[in-house]
């Protein structure tokens, strides 16, 4: 009985991880038309930008519900991720609880400038802002963006 429980637990953990929609810079990804919609291709960097169109199963990211996920891919490698998080009623700007969770995951302090919290870590940038624009599909969102520095993306 113990072996069955262990096997079932391992299966569930692998299944949840396998079907999770977390995307990380540097990971390989071949977008399938059933999972991603091409939004555009940068004429400057050649990065292909996709919206994740499958129902989101990991509903929360940094304690806020995920609205949309966008990934940028160059040569099969993820170079940009955007998680558009849905603000809760009463949230003003980026909530402190979300900032605290993000800060706990990065090794450098977030700086604040013109409504954007951010940090540059080696060749990567992280930013967090309350935004309503084309990247949030004109919806009020807390945008969590990670990207490889633009200078590295140019051919």
């Amino acid at each position: 009985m113990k072996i069955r429980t262990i096997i079932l637990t391992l299966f569930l953990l692998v299944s949840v991880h396998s079907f999770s929609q977390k995307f990380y810079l540097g990971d390989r990804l071949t977008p399938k038309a059933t999972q991603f919609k091409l939004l555009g291709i940068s004429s400057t960097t050649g990065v292909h930008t996709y919206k994740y169109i499958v129902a989101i199963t990991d509903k929360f990211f940094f304690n806020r519900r995920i609205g949309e996920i966008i990934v940028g891919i160059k040569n099969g490698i993820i170079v940009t991720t955007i998680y558009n998080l849905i603000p809760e009623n009463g949230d003003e700007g980026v909530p402190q609880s979300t900032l605290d969770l993000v800060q706990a995951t990065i090794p450098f302090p977030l700086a604040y400038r013109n409504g954007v919290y951010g940090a540059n870590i080696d060749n990567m940038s992280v930013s967090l802002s309350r935004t309503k624009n084309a990247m949030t599909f004109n919806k009020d969102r807390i945008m969590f963006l990670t990207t490889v520095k633009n200078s590295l993306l140019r051919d």
Side-chain angles (χ1 to χ4, degrees):
M1 185 67 173
K2 287 182 183 181
I3 293 175
R4 288 176 102 185
T5 304
I6 291 170
I7 291 172
L8 180 60
T9 303
L10 287 173
F11 174 74
L12 288 174
L13 288 173
V14 169
S15 296
V16 168
H17 182 68
S18 297
F19 295 107
S20 132
Q21 65 281 324
K22 294 286 193 298
F23 302 100
Y24 301 98
L25 296 184
D27 284 355
R28 289 202 156 279
L29 180 66
T30 303
K32 297 177 184 159
T34 57
Q35 296 177 316
F36 295 91
K37 176 185 176 186
L38 179 64
L39 299 177
I41 302 169
S42 170
S43 60
T44 306
T45 62
V47 172
H48 292 64
T49 303
Y50 295 89
K51 179 180 180 186
Y52 185 72
I53 57 172
V54 177
I56 296 173
T57 56
D58 289 343
K59 301 215 182 280
F60 289 87
F61 192 66
F62 293 119
N63 82 351
R64 290 296 182 267
R65 186 172 296 280
I66 300 171
E68 303 84 26
I69 301 171
I70 300 168
V71 294
I73 301 171
K74 182 166 183 169
N75 300 325
I77 305 291
I78 297 174
V79 295
T80 303
T81 64
I82 299 173
Y83 288 85
N84 288 326
L85 310 177
I86 301 170
E88 293 180 353
N89 289 336
D91 281 351
E92 292 183 23
V94 178
Q96 188 63 49
S97 60
T98 302
L99 286 169
D100 292 343
L101 290 170
V102 170
Q103 185 62 75
T105 66
I106 62 174
F108 298 102
L110 290 167
Y112 179 78
R113 181 172 287 150
N114 299 326
V116 178
Y117 296 87
N120 291 320
I121 306 164
D122 296 326
N123 292 320
M124 177 183 83
S125 296
V126 175
S127 69
L128 192 62
S129 62
R130 184 74 173 260
T131 308
K132 183 178 180 180
N133 61 25
M135 290 193 297
T136 64
F137 304 95
N138 293 314
K139 297 177 183 174
D140 180 25
R141 295 289 190 249
I142 300 164
M143 184 172 64
F144 177 76
L145 173 125
T146 59
T147 187
V148 171
K149 288 186 179 177
N150 198 32
S151 60
L152 297 176
L153 297 174
R154 296 177 193 261
D155 290 329

